[in-house]
Amino acid sequence: MTTRGVLYVHSAPRALCPHVEWAVAGVLGVRVQLDWIRQPASPGTWRAEFSWQGESGTASKLASALRGWQLLRFEVTAEPCTSAEGERYSATPDLGIFHAVTGIHGDILIPEDRLRAALVRSAQGETELEAEISKLLGKPWDDELEPFRYAGEGAPVRWLHQVV
């Protein structure tokens, strides 16, 4: 079953840009050339976005191919299809990678076991429930990536909005 999605490279040093293209091409099995523009939120870095279509699980493969590269900020989304829920991956150098399952309207779906574990950690005094839920929703990643989601004037951009 095929799905489609978008890769948002929010910031990458210039020297890393060709490696990002090669990694994406390796996952998709086709030549990829991204349209890189300067990232005003982090001088000296570049941003790009790429719409893709592939088998269910392609978002996971893209995120895996890009994860662990320091100085790279990115998000990968996949729309739900008949055989799978949607997905969202967000990655920053400081926080690492975040994964969420998304429903047909883009809402993050949190498995009940993860909610139960958050309740237990909160009840045992290990953490605040609000902080646990914030992490389950990816808020720390959204907070860090938000300034990078806005492109320079006149640049093509698709806005990603937080679900509140």
Side-chain angles (χ1 to χ4, degrees):
M1 191 54 65
T2 62
T3 188
R4 59 186 177 179
V6 180
L7 165 64
Y8 302 91
V9 179
H10 293 299
S11 71
R14 188 67 177 155
L16 194 56
C17 295
H19 298 281
V20 170
E21 291 178 355
W22 296 329
V24 173
V27 170
L28 298 178
V30 296
R31 185 173 182 270
V32 172
Q33 185 172 356
L34 302 178
D35 293 324
W36 295 97
I37 60 172
R38 293 187 187 277
Q39 173 53 273
S42 179
T45 65
W46 297 78
R47 60 171 278 124
E49 65 180 62
F50 181 74
S51 296
W52 57 268
Q53 186 170 339
E55 293 182 14
S56 181
T58 298
S60 174
K61 291 175 184 175
L62 287 168
S64 293
L66 299 175
R67 79 177 281 162
W69 289 359
Q70 287 300 317
L71 307 177
L72 182 66
R73 289 175 180 84
F74 70 89
E75 291 182 278
V76 182
T77 64
E79 295 180 1
C81 61
T82 56
S83 64
E85 299 287 353
E87 294 182 283
R88 175 182 149 208
Y89 293 86
S90 302
T92 74
D94 293 334
L95 298 172
I97 199 157
F98 167 78
H99 172 253
V101 174
T102 58
I104 60 171
H105 300 294
D107 296 326
I108 291 177
L109 307 176
I110 302 172
E112 61 186 80
D113 288 343
R114 291 184 72 192
L115 285 171
R116 283 191 183 106
L119 287 170
V120 167
R121 283 190 296 274
S122 174
Q124 292 175 345
E126 295 175 22
T127 185
E128 297 283 328
L129 182 58
E130 183 177 349
E132 286 292 312
I133 291 174
S134 178
K135 282 194 279 185
L136 290 172
L137 293 172
K139 185 172 181 343
W141 288 263
D142 284 336
D143 291 346
E144 186 170 328
L145 290 172
E146 193 62 28
F148 295 90
R149 289 177 175 148
Y150 297 95
E153 186 175 321
V157 67
R158 286 193 182 109
W159 299 107
L160 298 176
H161 295 284
Q162 289 179 219
V163 177
V164 180

